[in-house]
């Protein structure tokens, strides 16, 4: 250890280096106040991994002295400097979470080792190798840039040309796919990938220190891990994915891949539903699609996460004309939406066949997702326009002109942004025609496609919403559907998701343990009445109806001005009253439904309960 500290002291001799190290450690602290980064966990450590992976190369170079051979103490010293640079942001997040937040400061700490440590090892080893290779500053910068660019391009290429949406990068770390999935699990594949990272780092150090034979062996180990990537779970190809699922069939418009255990009648129904959706989408776009769309149909969210990432998020890759969805009862709730992305690719801008500017590299997500929602036009309790009008009357509708811009779509909660964009573009299709949608999908030029600017269109559309007829019950439906903020606005999102997932797995066999987890989730997000329902259900399962009744009575009072939330709680309270053979309380609550603006489903349930009593 003394030798390591001696090398650190030697490398820190120029004052400029000490300043660089200070900035390296303190700059990430400025990000800790951002949503999702304010707590220790995946997001914070992913950013630190990227930060140290890029700038850690410089630290490695600083420990390379041309006048003497590179030793293990140099690598250990550079690594220690990088790990110490990760501590200020980690400590800031830990302390602020412990003192200023109800979240657990220890939740998510398990991401530190597989994300930050291997990338720091590689960055420091690569810096040593670059410092050994040349003493010229600009050559060192050039070599570092070459490695970073090649690393980024190789990872990007696997995502662009492959079916998966996860990303594994030896310097940059790990991306599980779209971050809409609130519950993240540390995959076994990440550990295997990091074995390769450490092997590559050790090989570079051995090369820099003159241990060429050992370096060659370690490089061989790195190559072996990379070659086995598909079987280890951090690489996916079309062939490996088709083999993993096992079943396939082809129709006029669709190439379908599914789990081999799916029986023939189920496959036939799936094919029929898919072809019907293609027909519907052809009518919306006003033109028939060319070629086939590939549909990957996964037996479960967990299996999809293992194979391509994005456990609960369905997705499409328009430039590959393919969609990836979890199995569900038919008609599938989102298959048509994802097919719309793939079919709209014919009018999108290369290289990704989507609405984009800046040579096709700056996507307009409001149009991309809005067109899919409009084309889907899902059968629901309300139509798209009714949902948007109900949001407007509840004060939940985002600024339409703002949300339809590339930067504004993600600023609104996702449920509101999707519904608003979908209703708006459905209105554009109905008033300007399918051709306007096809032209708009290319680059988002509103005037060329519709003859009007976005601002004028948005004003006309909002006046249209004012004239959409809605009764009070329809308006009340908007609150439970759209009141939740985005994943970036809610507190302790990852922890709550993990608690909920764990509680769901324990509910049947260990309800007492599940109850403790749900109680913790309810304390973290007290505004969510769904946790009250879960707690009450578990209390009833534990034969503690009096506690369930007390809990529900308090929540019913708190949600008195939110009809649909009140109705969910009231129905559970009725069940608890029946548990206690308290018919008067149950009947009084059921009678109250007649005067409430609840959903038709809730009203029907209340009437059925009353009929059972009568």
């Amino acid at each position: 250890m003394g030798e390591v500290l001696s090398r650190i002291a030697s490398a820190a001799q120029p004052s400029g280096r000490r300043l660089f190290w200070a900035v390296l450690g303190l700059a990430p602290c400025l990000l800790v106040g951002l949503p999702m980064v304010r707590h220790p966990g995946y997001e914070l450590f992913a950013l630190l991994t990227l930060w140290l992976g890029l700038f850690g190369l410089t630290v490695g170079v600083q420990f390379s002295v041309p006048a003497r051979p590179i030793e293990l103490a140099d690598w250990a010293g550079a690594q220690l400097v990088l790990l110490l640079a990760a501590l200020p942001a980690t400590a800031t997040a830990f302390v602020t979470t412990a003192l200023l937040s109800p979240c657990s400061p220890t939740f998510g700490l398990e991401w530190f080792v597989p994300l930050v440590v291997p990338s720091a090892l590689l960055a420091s080893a690569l810096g040593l190798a670059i410092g050994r290779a040349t003493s010229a500053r600009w050559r060192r910068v050039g070599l570092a840039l070459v490695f970073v660019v090649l690393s980024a391009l190789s990872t990007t290429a696997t995502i662009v040309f492959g079916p998966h949406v996860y990303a594994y990068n030896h310097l940059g770390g790990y991306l599980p796919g779209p971050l809409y999935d609130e519950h993240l699990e540390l995959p076994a594949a990440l550990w295997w990938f990091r074995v390769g990272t450490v092997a590559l780092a050790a090989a570079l150090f051995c090369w820099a220190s003159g241990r060429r034979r050992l370096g060659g062996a370690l490089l061989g180990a790195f190559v072996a891990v990379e070659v086995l990537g598909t079987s280890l779970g951090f690489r996916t190809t079309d062939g490996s994915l088709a083999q993993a699922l096992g079943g396939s069939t082809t129709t006029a418009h669709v190439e379908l891949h599914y789990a081999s255990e799916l029986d023939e009648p189920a496959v036939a129904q799936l094919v029929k539903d898919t072809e019907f959706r293609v027909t519907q989408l052809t009518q919306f776009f006003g033109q028939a699609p060319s070629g086939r769309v590939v549909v990957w149909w996964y037996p479960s969210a967990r299996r999809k996460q293992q194979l391509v990432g994005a456990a609960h998020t369905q997705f499409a890759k328009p430039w590959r004309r393919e969609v990836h969805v979890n199995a569900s009862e038919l008609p599938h709730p989102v298959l048509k939406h994802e097919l719309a992305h793939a079919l709209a690719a014919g009018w999108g801008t290369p290289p990704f066949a989507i609405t984009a500017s800046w040579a096709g590299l700056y996507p307009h997500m409001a149009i991309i997702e809005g067109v899919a929602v409009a084309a889907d036009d899902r059968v629901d309790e309300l139509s798209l326009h009714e949902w948007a009008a109900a949001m407007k009357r509840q004060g939940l509708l985002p600024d339409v002109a703002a949300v339809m811009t590339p930067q504004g779509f993600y600023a609104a909660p996702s449920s509101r942004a999707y519904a608003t964009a979908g209703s708006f573009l459905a209105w554009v299709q109905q008033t300007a025609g399918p051709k306007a949608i096809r032209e708009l999908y290319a680059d988002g030029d509103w005037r060329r496609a519709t003859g009007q600017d976005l601002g004028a269109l948005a004003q006309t559309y909002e006046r249209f919403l004012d004239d959409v007829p809605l009764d009070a019950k329809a308006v009340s439906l908007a609150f439970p559907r759209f009141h939740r903020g985005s994943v970036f606005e809610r507190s302790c999102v990852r922890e709550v998701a993990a608690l909920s997932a764990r509680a769901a797995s324990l509910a049947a066999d260990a309800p007492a343990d599940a109850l403790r987890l749900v109680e913790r989730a309810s304390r973290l997000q007290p505004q969510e009445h769904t946790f009250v329902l879960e707690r009450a259900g578990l209390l009833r399962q534990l034969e503690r109806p009096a506690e369930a009744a007390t809990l529900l009575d308090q929540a019913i009072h708190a949600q008195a001005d939110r009809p649909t939330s009140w109705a969910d709680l009231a129905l559970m309270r009725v069940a608890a009253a029946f548990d206690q053979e308290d018919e008067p309380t149950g009947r009084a609550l059921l009678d109250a439904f007649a005067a409430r603006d609840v959903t038709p489903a809730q009203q029907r349930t209340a009437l059925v309960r009353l009929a059972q009593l009568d």
Side-chain angles (χ1 to χ4, degrees):
M1 189 62 183
E3 182 65 19
V4 173
L5 295 177
S6 173
R7 296 297 172 91
I8 292 175
S10 176
Q13 284 305 314
S15 58
R17 291 183 179 180
R18 294 194 293 274
L19 177 62
F20 174 77
W21 292 358
V23 171
L24 189 67
L26 296 176
C29 294
L30 301 176
L31 302 176
V32 171
L34 296 176
M36 304 296 289
V37 186
R38 60 172 61 98
H39 310 302
Y42 168 78
E43 281 78 13
L44 173 63
F45 297 138
L47 285 175
L48 283 175
T49 299
L50 188 61
W51 176 259
L52 298 180
L54 293 176
F55 295 99
L57 299 175
T58 301
V59 174
V61 169
Q62 291 169 351
F63 277 79
S64 178
V65 179
R68 60 170 174 79
I70 292 174
E71 299 293 342
L72 185 60
D74 295 303
W75 191 23
Q79 175 71 4
L80 183 58
V81 168
L82 292 180
L83 292 181
L84 288 174
L87 289 184
T90 303
T92 301
F94 185 93
V95 171
T96 56
T97 299
L99 298 179
L100 305 177
S101 166
C103 309
S104 168
T106 60
F107 178 81
L109 287 177
E110 69 273 10
W111 287 97
F112 183 88
V113 171
L115 287 180
V116 177
V117 175
S119 289
L121 276 170
L122 178 59
S124 54
L126 179 60
L128 287 169
I130 290 173
R132 173 59 61 191
T134 178
S135 59
R137 175 178 298 179
W138 291 112
R139 287 182 182 177
R140 288 176 170 179
V141 172
L143 286 173
L145 285 175
V146 166
F147 189 93
V148 169
V149 170
L150 288 178
S151 175
L153 287 177
S154 65
T155 301
T156 302
T158 63
I159 300 174
V160 171
F161 297 109
H164 56 84
V165 287
Y166 59 65
Y168 290 85
N169 184 273
H170 292 290
L171 274 178
Y174 166 67
L175 177 70
L179 294 179
Y180 292 125
D181 287 341
E182 296 178 9
H183 179 44
L184 295 182
E185 293 183 343
L186 206 162
L190 178 58
W191 292 106
W192 284 114
F193 180 76
R194 285 321 211 173
V195 168
T197 303
V198 173
L200 177 60
L204 287 168
F205 166 73
C206 288
W207 180 88
S209 60
R211 301 171 174 87
R212 304 299 171 85
R213 183 173 297 178
L214 179 58
L218 288 166
L219 185 61
F222 164 74
V223 172
V225 172
E226 287 290 307
V227 170
L228 294 172
T230 53
S231 59
L232 295 176
F234 59 83
R235 292 281 185 274
T236 304
T237 64
D238 291 330
S240 67
L241 183 55
Q243 184 178 4
L245 291 176
S248 65
T249 188
T250 301
T251 70
H253 300 108
V254 176
E255 177 185 323
L256 177 64
H257 295 269
Y258 52 88
S260 55
E261 58 266 25
L262 202 64
D263 59 33
E264 290 187 11
V267 173
Q269 283 294 108
L270 178 55
V271 168
K272 186 176 180 180
D273 185 58
T274 306
E275 285 286 342
F276 175 64
R277 298 305 181 191
V278 171
T279 300
Q280 289 181 310
L281 293 169
T282 298
Q283 294 173 352
F284 175 85
F285 289 114
Q287 282 188 5
S290 59
R292 291 190 179 92
V293 174
V294 180
V295 176
W296 300 95
W297 183 269
Y298 299 88
S300 68
R302 178 176 289 274
R303 187 65 174 141
K304 180 157 153 286
Q305 175 66 57
Q306 292 171 345
L307 292 173
V308 294
H312 297 283
T313 301
Q314 326 301 319
F315 66 91
K317 287 193 168 184
W319 64 96
R320 284 171 50 91
R321 297 292 297 273
E322 69 179 18
V323 303
H324 298 256
V325 294
N326 297 335
S328 173
E329 292 184 359
L330 298 177
H332 194 281
V334 295
L335 176 59
K336 186 180 177 184
H337 176 105
E338 301 304 335
L339 284 171
H341 285 305
L343 296 180
W347 303 288
T349 296
F352 298 113
I354 55 175
T355 312
S357 52
W358 296 2
L361 300 178
Y362 185 43
H364 296 221
M365 293 306 299
I367 297 176
I368 296 167
E369 294 296 345
V371 164
V373 173
D376 186 4
D377 194 17
R378 190 178 306 172
V379 177
D380 210 339
E381 291 173 302
L382 300 180
S383 69
L384 274 174
H385 298 325
E386 287 172 335
W387 282 122
M391 271 198 292
K392 193 171 191 291
R393 293 171 204 185
Q394 286 272 20
L396 298 174
L397 186 76
D399 182 280
V400 177
V403 87
M404 293 307 299
T405 61
Q407 67 276 11
F409 184 73
Y410 287 114
S414 62
S415 60
R416 302 179 209 173
Y418 275 72
T420 302
S423 172
F424 180 56
L425 287 168
W427 174 79
V428 170
Q429 194 262 5
Q430 293 157 7
T431 56
K435 183 180 178 181
I437 291 293
R438 297 197 304 270
E439 292 184 357
L440 179 68
Y441 201 79
D443 56 6
D445 189 328
W446 294 93
R447 176 162 288 280
R448 179 177 56 80
T450 67
Q452 298 184 64
D453 292 329
L454 173 59
L457 283 168
Q459 291 178 359
T460 306
Y461 165 72
E462 291 197 37
R463 290 195 295 269
F464 159 77
L465 291 182
D466 291 333
D467 296 330
V468 173
L470 287 175
D471 58 23
K473 290 185 178 181
V475 173
S476 70
L477 290 175
F479 183 82
R481 185 173 183 130
F482 300 112
H483 80 283
R484 294 184 79 192
S486 71
V487 68
F488 301 106
E489 295 174 337
R490 285 176 278 132
S491 62
C492 317
V493 172
R494 301 293 183 206
E495 184 179 355
V496 169
L499 289 168
S500 297
R502 180 61 178 158
S505 68
L506 293 174
D509 300 322
D513 294 334
L515 178 60
R516 285 191 290 271
L517 296 173
V518 176
E519 287 173 341
R520 167 70 178 162
S522 184
R523 288 194 296 271
L524 295 178
Q525 293 185 0
Q527 73 279 9
E528 294 297 333
H529 78 286
T530 53
F531 293 130
V532 176
L533 294 171
E534 291 180 30
R535 289 167 63 193
L538 289 166
L539 286 169
R540 292 179 60 215
Q541 187 177 339
L542 291 166
E543 299 182 356
R544 294 155 59 181
E547 294 178 56
T550 301
L551 173 67
L552 289 165
D553 286 338
Q554 295 171 348
I556 285 171
H557 178 73
Q559 299 285 338
D561 59 342
R562 297 174 179 176
T564 51
S565 300
W566 174 91
D568 287 336
L569 294 162
L571 288 171
M572 180 66 80
R573 179 65 179 90
V574 169
F578 289 173
D579 291 340
Q580 297 175 291
E581 299 182 356
D582 181 8
E583 182 178 326
T585 298
R587 184 179 291 276
L589 282 168
L590 292 172
D591 287 336
F593 272 72
R596 291 275 181 169
D597 296 323
V598 300
T599 70
Q602 291 168 331
Q603 191 70 261
R604 286 193 299 271
T605 302
L607 291 173
V608 169
R609 293 282 188 171
L610 276 172
Q612 289 172 339
L613 283 177
D614 294 336

